[in-house]
Amino acid sequence: QVQLVESGGGLVQAGGSLRLSCVASGLDFNWATMGWFRQAPGKERELVAAIIWTGDSTYYADSVKGRFAISRDNAKSTVYVQLSNLKPDDTATYYCATKTGALVQAPERWNYWGHGTQVTVSS
């Protein structure tokens, strides 16, 4: 059974940083495309960062480009996202997800999800 477990969320002031981690099990992590989504109350889930299996191609939403950095450690079956210069608009539940095949933004195209970790940024 595929499991994705996120950690690292918390409450920070604007301008602060967090590093989120997602540990995967039950899949061939080395061949998996990994992504981070976020969802705020009343808003749709959106892809903010993704990384393909080789780690040499990444995606970032325009709203986080230059502030977030995704990485993966295949030996540890773990994907990270470094959240820097956080803004109140970054407040959301952040979800780790995985899929096979091409990288796409639509959440419904992703196969497995973690339960999320909350990031709250105060002004």
Side-chain angles (χ1 to χ4, degrees):
Q1 183 176 357
V2 174
Q3 287 191 307
L4 305 175
V5 181
E6 305 99 331
S7 62
L11 173 63
V12 298
Q13 292 185 337
S17 299
L18 290 170
R19 189 175 80 155
L20 309 183
S21 300
C22 172
V23 179
S25 61
L27 76 161
D28 188 352
F29 185 85
N30 292 354
W31 291 89
T33 296
M34 306 298 299
W36 288 94
F37 290 76
R38 68 184 181 188
Q39 188 167 25
K43 296 184 178 180
E44 295 185 349
R45 190 168 298 189
E46 64 171 342
L47 179 66
V48 295
I51 187 166
I52 64 171
W53 69 274
T54 62
D56 61 359
S57 183
T58 57
Y59 163 87
Y60 297 98
D62 287 343
S63 60
V64 308
K65 198 169 298 181
R67 299 188 297 117
F68 291 9
I70 191 169
S71 61
R72 64 192 295 163
D73 186 339
N74 287 356
K76 298 180 179 179
S77 295
T78 301
V79 63
Y80 308 92
V81 60
Q82 179 71 35
L83 315 179
S84 300
N85 191 23
L86 283 161
K87 306 176 184 296
D89 285 348
D90 296 320
T91 296
T93 301
Y94 284 72
Y95 298 90
C96 178
T98 186
K99 72 181 301 293
T100 58
L103 196 161
V104 295
Q105 296 183 34
E108 60 268 23
R109 298 288 302 279
W110 293 68
N111 302 117
Y112 299 100
W113 296 84
H115 293 302
T117 185
Q118 179 67 34
V119 171
T120 302
V121 184
S122 62
S123 60

